[in-house]
Amino acid sequence: MFKALKSKNFKLFFYGQSVSVIGTWMQKTAVSWMVYSITGSVFLLGLATFLSMIPSLFLAPIAGSIIGRYDRHRSMMILQSLAMLQAGALALLIYLKIYNINFILALSLIQGIINAFDMTCRQTMMIDIVNDKEDLANAVALNSTLNNSARIIGPALAGIILHQYGEDICFIGNFVSYIPVLISLMMMKITPHVKAENKLKMLDDLIEGLEYVKKETEMAKMLLMLMCSSLFVISFNTLMPVFAKDIFNGNAQTFSWFESAAGIGCVLSAVYLANLKDSKNMNKIMITTSLLLGFSIIILAVSSSLTVTLLCMTLSGVGMMGQTSSINIYIQTQSAVNMRSRSISYYMMAYQGMIPVGSLIIGYVSHSLGVRTTVAIEGIICIISVIVYVYYKNSKTTELDTCPVPYRNSNN
């Protein structure tokens, strides 16, 4: 399970991120709770998530083009430093008790812009920090395990801190958590694989990347599946503060239970993926976990028991992580070397870019249909999307299946 840690650079990356990501989840939980507590608005709750993620929709392809041309190690250090400054500004705002929703939303947007580049760089950098390329799939799965372990620890800590000490400690904690990751990045020794070019051929790069993804039939179908899930399904998480506070009459700690339960499911799924000997059968894993995600959301929507709801959140975490990580592993291991950064940027656009649009939609629809009905519809859409995906996957007459695959690199 931990074979990728044999690589010193990946080990440094893994340990540094283990602290930083916990801080990120603490802040994410605190922001969601604080926005809903201050405004009482589901729409503004969805808007905060929207602003923190929507830049990925527009900037991810551009990020893929830029990151692919420059030293990823140096780019990562710059991006993490900018993220630390953003976290510091938000921490200062809350410490001074300036609960201005406009400032909070503006800083969420800045965070989203930084993340659009940071996430693409982080995923692309995997190939540079893993010595044995056979361990790449394991590194991706371990990174997912790390992120989702933090999803358990971060919200749990946030729930305790919010209840006992106040939200400012959560934001200060996130600011401080960037120190270990910056130290670990400085300790890495990576030989740059790409020299900076003076001129960016942005439009050409975007067209070439899109054509590559379209002609990689299986990759294109999986990305369409992920886009549908991110737009109409995964955004159910946006409504969890409403479930915690209004449906189950809970507090910040109750909300942290929901986040932690989903995190436990994500970790279980990521551990399973990390223990796989190879990256085969990612397609079957994606289909199975997508069905699990859909059914668990439907049961969650109608449940009146807190225990059953937490169990459904755990199962939804298994499904969500299995779906997204299997697609990520497929792209990381199957993309041609010269197209990897652009392939990953389209993955980030389909995943991170569509979630905020879905969050905005779900915030609006839940006003008209109610929270439970909206979440149930999301589960149904998830199951229907799997059926459609399987139908077109098995079809031999689709337009994509007639396309040649000119970019495949035999060494990859």
Side-chain angles (χ1 to χ4, degrees):
M1 178 178 171
F2 300 102
K3 57 184 179 180
L5 291 176
K6 293 182 296 184
S7 302
K8 182 179 178 181
N9 286 327
F10 180 75
K11 184 186 294 186
L12 288 168
F13 174 86
F14 187 84
Y15 291 153
Q17 288 292 323
S18 64
V19 178
S20 179
V21 180
I22 290 175
T24 299
W25 273 102
M26 284 174 56
Q27 176 173 295
K28 181 180 182 295
T29 305
V31 167
S32 295
W33 182 257
M34 191 172 63
V35 169
Y36 189 61
S37 297
I38 292 171
T39 66
S41 170
V42 176
F43 175 77
L44 288 175
L45 179 61
L47 181 61
T49 303
F50 176 84
L51 291 174
S52 68
M53 301 180 77
I54 190 59
S56 293
L57 179 61
F58 302 103
L59 297 180
I62 297 173
S65 177
I66 294 174
I67 296 300
R69 291 171 177 268
Y70 291 92
D71 179 8
R72 291 183 283 258
H73 183 210
R74 186 181 296 274
S75 298
M76 191 69 179
M77 291 187 67
I78 293 171
L79 290 166
Q80 287 292 295
S81 298
L82 291 174
M84 185 178 185
L85 290 175
Q86 185 275 342
L90 186 55
L92 181 63
L93 194 72
I94 303 306
Y95 180 76
L96 297 176
K97 309 298 181 185
I98 304 174
Y99 299 113
N100 187 307
I101 191 65
N102 293 323
F103 288 165
I104 294 171
L105 293 177
L107 285 169
S108 295
L109 178 61
I110 292 172
Q111 180 189 38
I113 294 171
I114 296 170
N115 283 346
F117 289 87
D118 179 76
M119 294 298 292
T120 301
C121 185
R122 189 192 307 253
Q123 294 291 335
T124 310
M125 192 177 168
M126 287 292 168
I127 195 72
D128 298 332
I129 60 179
V130 177
N131 296 337
D132 187 349
K133 304 316 171 192
E134 294 291 324
D135 296 338
L136 182 59
N138 178 253
V140 174
L142 279 178
N143 191 46
S144 296
T145 305
L146 165 67
N147 288 324
N148 290 285
S149 296
R151 186 174 181 172
I152 301 171
I153 300 169
L157 284 175
I160 296 170
I161 293 170
L162 285 169
H163 185 67
Q164 298 289 336
Y165 304 104
E167 61 274 359
D168 54 340
I169 303 299
C170 288
F171 295 105
I172 293 171
N174 183 46
F175 171 71
V176 174
S177 72
Y178 280 97
I179 296 174
V181 72
L182 287 172
I183 292 174
S184 67
L185 285 169
M186 286 187 285
M187 291 175 66
M188 289 182 188
K189 295 181 180 179
I190 301 176
T191 303
H193 294 287
V194 181
K195 293 183 179 180
E197 298 182 15
N198 294 326
K199 185 178 180 182
L200 286 174
K201 299 177 181 178
M202 194 71 69
L203 183 60
D204 291 344
D205 283 352
L206 292 176
I207 293 173
E208 187 180 13
L210 182 60
E211 287 299 317
Y212 173 75
V213 169
K214 285 170 60 179
K215 290 174 182 177
E216 286 286 342
T217 310
E218 198 60 42
M219 187 184 298
K221 292 176 182 177
M222 293 178 88
L223 285 173
L224 286 173
M225 178 69 182
L226 179 61
M227 183 173 69
C228 177
S229 183
S230 299
L231 187 59
F232 298 114
V233 183
I234 295 177
S235 54
F236 83 95
N237 270 321
T238 304
L239 297 176
M240 287 305 101
V242 184
F243 270 75
K245 188 172 183 180
D246 296 343
I247 294 178
F248 289 100
N249 299 313
N251 53 26
Q253 196 161 17
T254 311
F255 173 47
S256 73
W257 293 345
F258 287 139
E259 292 285 358
S260 295
I264 290 172
C266 288
V267 168
L268 292 175
S269 187
V271 167
Y272 170 76
L273 290 169
N275 277 288
L276 293 177
K277 294 182 179 179
D278 53 51
S279 57
K280 296 178 181 178
N281 299 320
M282 287 298 118
N283 189 277
K284 293 180 180 178
I285 292 173
M286 191 269 287
I287 292 171
T288 303
T289 52
S290 296
L291 287 172
L292 178 61
L293 174 62
F295 283 114
S296 63
I297 291 175
I298 292 173
I299 298 172
L300 181 149
V302 299
S303 171
S304 58
S305 165
L306 181 60
T307 302
V308 173
T309 301
L310 291 173
L311 176 61
C312 288
M313 285 298 294
T314 303
L315 294 176
S316 73
V318 173
M320 185 165 52
M321 176 51 52
Q323 181 191 70
T324 57
S325 286
S326 58
I327 296 173
N328 188 3
I329 290 172
Y330 182 89
I331 292 173
Q332 291 268 13
T333 56
Q334 298 301 314
S335 293
V337 174
N338 64 315
M339 299 301 294
R340 183 175 284 111
S341 63
R342 274 170 274 182
S343 299
I344 292 172
S345 72
Y346 279 102
Y347 166 82
M348 296 309 303
M349 184 173 70
Y351 180 33
Q352 295 283 347
M354 288 298 169
I355 289 178
V357 180
S359 297
L360 208 59
I361 292 172
I362 196 175
Y364 178 79
V365 172
S366 62
H367 273 296
S368 302
L369 301 181
V371 172
R372 286 188 181 275
T373 302
T374 302
V375 173
I377 291 173
E378 288 187 291
I380 294 170
I381 290 174
C382 184
I383 294 170
I384 292 174
S385 68
V386 175
I387 295 171
V388 172
Y389 171 82
V390 171
Y391 172 79
Y392 279 103
K393 172 179 168 54
N394 295 329
S395 173
K396 303 297 182 182
T397 59
T398 60
E399 181 180 350
L400 281 173
D401 284 333
T402 64
C403 291
V405 187
Y407 290 100
R408 174 69 66 197
N409 187 321
S410 60
N411 294 326
N412 205 39

